[in-house]
């Protein structure tokens, strides 16, 4: 026990030595520095102004960061490297836009007509000579080209194709008209068709009687020739095509079209693909009333004649897009859906319209991006601005109908410009603080009131902020929406230092013997300088510990705050003290506090102006704290607060969503609110990116990965997976001409490349074409180029907490990593930016809090020299 006591005594002596060394050195420095500044105040002021201007020049490099990934994902993390690699090699060309319409019931003629009219206006929107059609993503419509099969003529140099010369355009009609016109066959073709109904009945009878023998012989010969050519030869495709064209329109479906893609590939089918009409890809409820791939006079009449009953019947029973001529579940676009007892939809409070535009990546590479934070060319950026203006014009909407617009550029536009978004609140805060400072520093008379000094105190904070921001910008640190809280933080910390300095001066003035002004300021700074130094150093240390984070945005925030706090501290012990000494000279000369040139010769301080109500209040509180009962109550409250504080800290959940940084009044913030309110069921989509591999040799690995994602163990996690390879396998097996297995067939590289192209241009396979990135553009009828990157879409289920979505993301990453592809593969999703942030914060939170507390503890221990005092400070 004696040894332990002796060790503690030696440790305490060491702490005391450190305290006396640090505090003594600071006291000596500030005693000299206070004297120096008070002796040469003008020089000190000029130096401070010059340093502020010089440091402020760093603001020329000031920039705001609008890219969410750059703000929250560490630069050297695997996830960030994957994002940067994609942006560098396969930049995102697709821009997703959304409008959510709300009403008491959106399935009414008024709402549908409103959406239709706004969609038509979007079609008419122009930017220079370009229209919406030039910017949107064009996809083919599943129908034969206008003009029939004569529009499908296709040929290449050196390639033999079927000649269509001699066939009239009316000979071939779109399949939806075939049922009405299958008897209108040209007379010259009737030589091969004995059932021609367009020949006059009387003439036919005469002709048959006169040439009966010749005709019978001719028909028999024609039949033999046709039968011989049915299985092979030039007429084979024509006979198969006639079966297709003469089918009833109601019988034609995607399976028949798929057969068409095999039987007439490549020449006729690829010709049809190239000649097929295209339209802007969208997901919009008004597609249900389109007309053959477009919105025209027919669709105008359909929309105008809608009733609520027909709308409900269509949405419940006829989910077929009349724009893309295929099935689509339009119920997914509805929010807050109401059902009857039969499970039929009878109403909904929200409906979403989605549409997609493209980015001119080549222009971005040559001229750079039009805005910071995302890669977009100038024309697309301008057109999106026009779309925002158009879609936000709601003055003509019927009563009760609202819309919430999210054009993709709005998200980043809302981030950018946040630097001064709270400027009015900041100015108001500074005015309130100025009034408070003036009341605290001044006495209620003309000479001892410190109006100008209060202005200088606020100015010192502003100068420190400019200097700190300039230094950080000079070194390339970015500014973000989260940084807008820093000016308010600096205001509170900076004003506190002013009070310490002025109160110390007033205390010394009333308790010490008279001395020269410079000496009095030396004594003031001997005490006040040490106090503000200790508080400043603890603040700076705490923020620099926070800068140890992996999150770039938080790191930048902490460095900005730490540097600005130190700059304000340096200016206040110099700039403010210099002005303070000048103001004290003014008071000694009895000059007016506002009109400094006016002297009050017979001035006497009023007695009531020397009273301090705060001093009396805290004196009374000090007496109370000496009583045992009050001490027990205070200790008990401290213990209770400590327990609840620790419990709350351990119960923290780390969640980050970029929309939290959006101004609440912004359009896109309201859109997020409506989506979360009306569409709480939607899961987060993503893609599994697989770099260049030998697909044919590693085909089984796709099955392995997809099976794991679809396994029962992942039911809590994965909503759906949409791989391309099962459809490709089915397509090859369905139309193969041999008994060889699928694996044997695709082992032939030429066969595999030909079939991959054919599949990706087929009706069922075309949907996967955007998920492939080839070494050169893929062309119908030609072998597929090398696949440099492929994407497999998937989606998570809806999660409500980071305690669920972080493990969900890690599970997908684990499955992809464990799949033994020969090249690198990784999952990517926009929401993973948020989830990765939550994962980092979850690890760093307690660690950084602990490090900060330890640093503050030792800082206060060295400056206070007391273990108990340091512990009380931490508590």
């Amino acid at each position: 026990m004696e040894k332990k006591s002796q060790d503690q005594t030696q440790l305490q002596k060491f702490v005391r030595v450190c305290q006396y060394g640090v505090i003594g050195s600071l006291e000596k420095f500030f005693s000299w520095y206070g004297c120096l500044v008070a002796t040469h105040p003008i020089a000190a002021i000029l130096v401070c102004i010059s340093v502020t201007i010089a440091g402020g020049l760093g603001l020329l490099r000031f920039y705001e960061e609008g890219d969410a990934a750059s703000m929250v994902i560490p630069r050297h993390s695997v996830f960030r490297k994957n994002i940067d690699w994609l942006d560098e090699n396969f930049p995102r060309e697709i821009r997703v836009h959304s409008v959510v319409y709300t009403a008491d019931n959106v399935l009414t003629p008024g709402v549908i007509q409103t959406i239709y009219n706004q969609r038509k206006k979007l079609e008419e929107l122009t930017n220079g000579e370009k229209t919406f059609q030039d910017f949107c993503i064009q996809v083919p419509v599943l129908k034969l080209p206008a003009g029939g099969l004569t529009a499908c003529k296709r040929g290449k140099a050196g390639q033999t194709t079927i000649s269509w010369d001699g066939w009239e355009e009316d000979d071939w009609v779109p399949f939806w008209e075939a049922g009405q016109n299958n008897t209108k066959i040209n007379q010259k073709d009737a030589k091969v068709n004995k059932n021609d109904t367009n020949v006059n009945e009387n003439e036919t009878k005469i002709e048959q009687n006169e040439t009966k023998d010749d005709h019978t012989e001719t028909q028999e010969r024609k039949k033999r020739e046709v039968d011989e050519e049915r299985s092979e030869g030039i007429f084979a495709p024509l006979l198969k095509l006639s079966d297709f064209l003469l089918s009833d329109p109601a019988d034609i479906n995607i399976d028949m079209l798929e057969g068409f893609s095999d039987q007439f590939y490549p020449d006729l089918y690829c010709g049809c693909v190239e000649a097929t009409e295209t339209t802007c890809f969208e997901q919009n409820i008004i597609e249900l009333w389109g007309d053959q791939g477009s919105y025209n006079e027919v669709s105008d009449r359909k929309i105008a004649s809608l009733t609520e009953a027909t709308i409900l019947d269509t949405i419940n029973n006829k989910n077929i897009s009349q724009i893309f001529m295929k099935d689509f579940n339009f119920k997914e676009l509805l929010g807050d859906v109401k059902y009857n007892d039969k499970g039929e939809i009878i109403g909904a409070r929200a409906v979403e319209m989605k549409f997609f535009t493209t980015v001119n990546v080549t222009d971005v590479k040559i001229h750079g991006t039009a805005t910071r934070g995302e890669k977009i060319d100038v024309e697309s950026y301008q057109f999106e601005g026009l779309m925002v203006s158009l879609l936000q014009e709601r003055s003509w909407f019927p009563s009760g109908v609202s819309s919430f617009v999210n054009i993709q550029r709005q998200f980043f536009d809302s981030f950018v410009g946040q630097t001064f978004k709270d400027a009015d609140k900041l100015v108001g805060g500074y005015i309130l603080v100025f009034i408070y400072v003036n009341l605290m520093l001044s006495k209620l008379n003309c000479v001892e009131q410190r109006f100008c000094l209060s202005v200088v105190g606020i100015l010192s904070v502003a100068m420190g902020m400019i200097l700190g921001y300039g230094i950080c910008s000079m070194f390339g640190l970015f500014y973000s929406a989260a940084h807008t809280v820093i000016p308010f933080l600096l205001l509170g910390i900076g004003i506190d230092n002013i009070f310490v300095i002025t109160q110390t001066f007033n205390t010394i003035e009333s308790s010490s013997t008279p001395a020269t002004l410079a000496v009095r300021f030396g004594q003031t700074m001997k005490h006040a300088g040490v106090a503000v130094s200790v508080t400043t150093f603890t603040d700076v240390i705490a923020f620099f510990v926070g800068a140890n984070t992996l999150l770039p945005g938080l790191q930048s925030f902490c460095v900005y705050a730490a540097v600005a706090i130190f700059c304000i501290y340096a200016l206040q012990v110099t700039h403010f003290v210099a002005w303070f000494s000048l103001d004290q000279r003014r008071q000694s000369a009895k000059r007016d506090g506002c009109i400094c040139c006016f002297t009050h010769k017979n001035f006497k301080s009023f007695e009531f102006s020397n009273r301090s109500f705060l001093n009396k209040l805290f004196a009374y509180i000090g007496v109370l704290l000496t009583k045992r009962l009050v001490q027990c109550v205070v200790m008990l409250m401290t213990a209770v607060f400590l327990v609840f504080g620790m419990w709350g800290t351990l119960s923290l959940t780390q969640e980050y969503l970029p929309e939290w940084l959006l101004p609440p009044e912004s359009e896109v913030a309201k859109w997020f609110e409506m989506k979360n309110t009306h569409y709480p069921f939607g899961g987060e989509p993503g893609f599994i990116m697989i770099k260049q591999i030998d697909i044919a040799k590693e085909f089984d690995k796709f099955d392995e990965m997809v099976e794991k994602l679809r396994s029962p163990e992942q039911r809590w996690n994965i909503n759906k997976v949409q791989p391309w390879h099962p459809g490709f396998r089915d397509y090859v097996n369905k139309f193969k001409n041999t008994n060889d297995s699928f694996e044997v067939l695709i082992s032939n590289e030429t066969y595999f490349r030909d079939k991959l192209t054919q599949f990706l241009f087929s009706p069922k396979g075309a949907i996967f074409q955007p998920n492939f990135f080839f070494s050169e553009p893929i062309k119908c009828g030609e072998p597929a180029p090398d696949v440099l990157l492929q994407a497999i879409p998937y989606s998570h289920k809806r999660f409500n907490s980071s305690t669920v979505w972080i493990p969900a993301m890690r599970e997908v990453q684990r499955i992809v990593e464990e799949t033994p592809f020969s090249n690198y593969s990784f999952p990517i999703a926009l929401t993973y930016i948020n989830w990765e942030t939550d994962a980092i914060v979850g690890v760093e939170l307690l660690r950084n809090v602990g490090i900060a507390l330890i640093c503050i503890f030792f800082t206060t221990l060295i400056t206070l020299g007391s273990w108990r005092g340091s512990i009380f400070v931490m508590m």
Side-chain angles (χ1 to χ4, degrees), residues 322-572:
Q322 299 302 315
I323 297 298
F324 304 107
M325 312 302 294
K326 65 177 184 178
D327 295 342
F328 179 77
N329 186 10
F330 289 94
K331 299 175 184 178
E332 294 180 352
L333 301 177
L334 301 176
D336 273 356
V337 183
K338 299 177 182 179
Y339 299 90
N340 61 15
D341 296 338
K342 299 178 181 179
E344 297 174 333
I345 294 176
I346 58 174
R349 297 190 61 190
V351 61
E352 184 177 14
M353 173 177 72
K354 294 181 182 179
F355 53 98
F356 308 83
T357 57
T358 59
V359 172
N360 187 338
V361 177
T362 303
D363 184 80
V364 172
K365 289 180 179 179
I366 296 174
H367 301 104
T369 182
T371 182
R372 186 180 299 277
E374 53 181 346
K375 292 180 173 62
I376 181 172
D377 61 286
V378 175
E379 285 188 334
S380 299
Y381 184 76
Q382 292 173 344
F383 191 78
E384 288 190 11
L386 296 174
M387 289 196 296
V388 171
S389 300
L390 171 68
L391 296 171
Q392 288 183 352
E393 173 53 45
R394 310 180 183 93
S395 59
W396 55 274
F397 276 24
S399 177
V401 180
S402 301
S403 68
F404 301 89
V405 181
N406 182 10
I407 302 302
Q408 190 163 328
R409 67 167 277 184
Q410 287 179 272
F411 189 82
F412 294 95
D413 286 351
S414 297
F415 277 132
V416 177
Q418 296 295 293
T419 308
F420 304 105
K421 80 178 183 70
D422 292 326
D424 55 339
K425 299 181 182 67
L426 185 61
V427 171
Y430 270 65
I431 292 174
L432 289 175
V433 170
F434 165 74
I435 295 172
Y436 174 72
V437 170
N438 193 35
L439 290 174
M440 293 296 103
L441 299 185
S442 303
K443 295 181 179 180
L444 300 179
N445 58 67
C446 295
V447 174
E448 293 177 316
Q449 62 94 9
R450 300 185 186 275
F451 177 86
C452 293
L453 188 62
S454 300
V455 173
V456 169
I458 302 295
L459 183 62
S460 297
V461 175
M463 290 171 63
M465 187 169 66
I466 293 171
L467 179 58
Y469 279 29
I471 292 173
C472 292
S473 299
M474 189 182 301
F475 285 93
L477 293 172
F478 64 78
Y479 195 89
S480 71
H483 291 54
T484 55
V485 74
I486 293 179
F488 299 97
L489 179 70
L490 299 179
L491 181 60
I493 294 175
I495 295 304
D496 183 62
N497 293 342
I498 292 173
F499 291 148
V500 173
I501 295 172
T502 54
Q503 185 60 41
T504 303
F505 181 83
N506 292 334
T507 302
I508 291 175
E509 284 283 274
S510 61
S511 61
S512 61
T513 57
T516 62
L517 184 66
V519 172
R520 279 148 49 202
F521 270 96
Q523 293 174 345
T524 297
M525 294 307 296
K526 178 181 178 180
H527 300 286
V530 173
V532 298
S533 296
V534 171
T535 56
T536 299
F537 292 160
T538 54
D539 291 337
V540 170
I541 288 171
F543 277 110
F544 272 123
V545 168
N548 190 42
T549 180
L550 295 175
L551 303 178
L554 182 57
Q555 185 181 70
S556 176
F557 176 91
C558 291
V559 173
Y560 261 89
V563 173
I565 287 171
F566 185 82
C567 291
I568 290 173
Y569 157 77
L571 286 170
Q572 284 175 337

Side-chain angles (χ1 to χ4, degrees), residues 748-781:
N748 183 316
E749 184 177 357
T750 302
Y751 180 89
F752 171 76
R753 288 178 180 266
D754 287 336
K755 279 298 179 182
L756 181 60
T757 300
Q758 187 175 349
F759 170 70
L760 292 178
F761 280 97
S762 69
K764 288 185 178 180
I767 191 174
F768 298 108
Q769 196 175 131
N771 297 336
F772 286 83
F773 299 85
F774 295 96
S775 58
E776 59 185 68
I778 188 171
K779 297 178 181 179
C780 186

Side-chain angles (χ1 to χ4, degrees), residues 139-145 148-149 151-154 257 260-262 264-278 731 757-763 766 769 778-781:
V139 295
V141 179
L142 289 180
K143 66 176 185 179
L144 288 179
L149 292 176
C152 296
K153 294 180 183 179
R154 183 177 187 265
L257 290 173
F260 182 76
S261 73
D262 175 69
F264 303 103
Y265 184 88
D267 297 324
L268 182 60
Y269 181 76
C270 289
C272 288
V273 167
E274 293 171 0
T276 295
E277 296 178 24
T278 61
Y731 187 85
T757 300
Q758 187 175 349
F759 170 70
L760 292 178
F761 280 97
S762 69
Q769 196 175 131
I778 188 171
K779 297 178 181 179
C780 186

Side-chain angles (χ1 to χ4, degrees), residues 43-53 463 467 570-571 574-576:
I45 291 170
L46 292 176
V47 169
C48 290
I49 293 174
S50 300
V51 171
T52 302
I53 293 175
M463 290 171 63
L467 179 58
L571 286 170
T574 307
H575 184 257
F576 177 77

